[in-house]
Amino acid sequence: MDSFLDMLRRDDLVALAIFIACWLGYETFVALRIKRGHGLPAAMQAWRRDWFEASATRENRIIDIQILRSLAGNSAFMASTSIFVVGGLAAVFGASEQAVAVLNQFRFLVETSQDRFGLKIALLIFIFTNAFFRLAWSIRLHNNAAVVLGAIPQPEFEDLREVGRERGGVAAELASLAARHYNGGVHSYYFGLAVCTWFVHPFAFIAASLWVVAVLHRREFRSRALRTVRRS
């Protein structure tokens, strides 16, 4: 622990602590607001429930499957991109000595050591690995929602309409969970970009962390999109 603290300067430790507080704090804040029915993610949950209730009354559900495929495809694209990012970061990690020598030639960048540089790269690898796991789980949940959708009885079976509504609710909940993990993966991308400013200066890292929280909060809780989908 002492060697870890000696590796970073005081301003680095402060910046890292603020970053962790911003990331974990915002994720906790979003989860609580969703439970209370506030924000764009909560509003879209209501639309998903309506979507699967409507799908239970349709004989042809090809369009519903296509929508789920599209959503899973978005998660797959982001997940595969995160793998490429992790691979690139691992390559940079292996060439950290040369990278540090190059970075220290720029006077407008804070001087760094190989240990500090490696720690920053390791943090980025952790963030994008987390993004991959969340996005991969989103794909799995979208696929599960498609399976449940296929188990909804056709509307002509009147005695099974209640069963169809119940299964539609299950599919909607799975799709909402998938969207929650997708959003968490996208948040990892945002905060990963904030970490990149740590190579410039710890104060830039602090500013970028706060800016990411402000951008995400505005888009998910104060945006025009939220006003558009919000129920009256």
Side-chain angles (χ1 to χ4, degrees), residues 19 24 35 37 43 53 67 72 101 121 139 149-150 186 189 192-193:
F19 168 78
L24 297 182
K35 287 183 179 180
E53 285 180 6
I67 294 172
I121 294 297
I139 299 170
L149 176 65
V186 173
Y189 271 79
L193 291 175

Side-chain angles (χ1 to χ4, degrees), residues 66-122:
Q66 291 296 331
I67 294 172
L68 284 171
R69 276 187 182 177
S70 175
L71 295 173
N74 292 337
S75 298
F77 173 77
M78 298 292 287
S80 61
T81 301
S82 65
I83 288 296
F84 288 126
V85 173
V86 170
L89 290 170
V92 174
F93 193 87
S96 57
E97 184 177 357
Q98 296 90 330
V100 169
V102 172
L103 290 176
N104 286 336
Q105 292 178 1
F106 295 95
R107 298 180 61 184
F108 62 88
L109 298 179
V110 64
E111 186 176 356
T112 187
S113 66
Q114 188 171 351
D115 287 335
R116 286 197 293 271
F117 179 82
L119 179 63
K120 296 171 185 178
I121 294 297

Side-chain angles (χ1 to χ4, degrees), residues 140-167:
R140 180 75 174 271
L141 290 172
H142 277 123
N143 290 336
N144 292 344
V147 171
V148 176
L149 176 65
I152 297 176
Q154 290 295 313
E156 63 263 21
F157 299 104
E158 296 184 3
D159 56 331
L160 295 177
R161 285 184 180 177
E162 185 61 31
V163 174
R165 282 192 291 268
E166 291 178 359
R167 292 178 181 178

Side-chain angles (χ1 to χ4, degrees), residues 43-58:
M44 293 309 301
Q45 281 187 359
W47 284 105
R48 288 187 195 92
R49 286 193 294 269
D50 287 352
W51 166 25
F52 284 100
E53 285 180 6
S55 69
T57 64
R58 285 194 285 267

Side-chain angles (χ1 to χ4, degrees), residues 11 41 64 68 78 103 117-118 136 138 175 201 212 218:
D11 51 1
D64 304 299
L68 284 171
M78 298 292 287
L103 290 176
F117 179 82
S138 175
H201 197 278
V212 165
R218 183 185 179 281

Side-chain angles (χ1 to χ4, degrees), residues 23 27 74-86 89 123-139 178 180-193:
W23 190 11
E27 292 297 327
N74 292 337
S75 298
F77 173 77
M78 298 292 287
S80 61
T81 301
S82 65
I83 288 296
F84 288 126
V85 173
V86 170
L89 290 170
L123 178 59
L124 283 170
I125 290 175
F126 169 79
I127 290 172
F128 284 98
T129 301
N130 174 74
F132 168 77
F133 281 115
R134 299 206 69 175
L135 292 163
W137 185 236
S138 175
I139 299 170
R180 190 174 305 176
H181 284 279
Y182 176 81
N183 289 338
V186 173
H187 291 171
S188 295
Y189 271 79
Y190 277 82
F191 284 103
L193 291 175

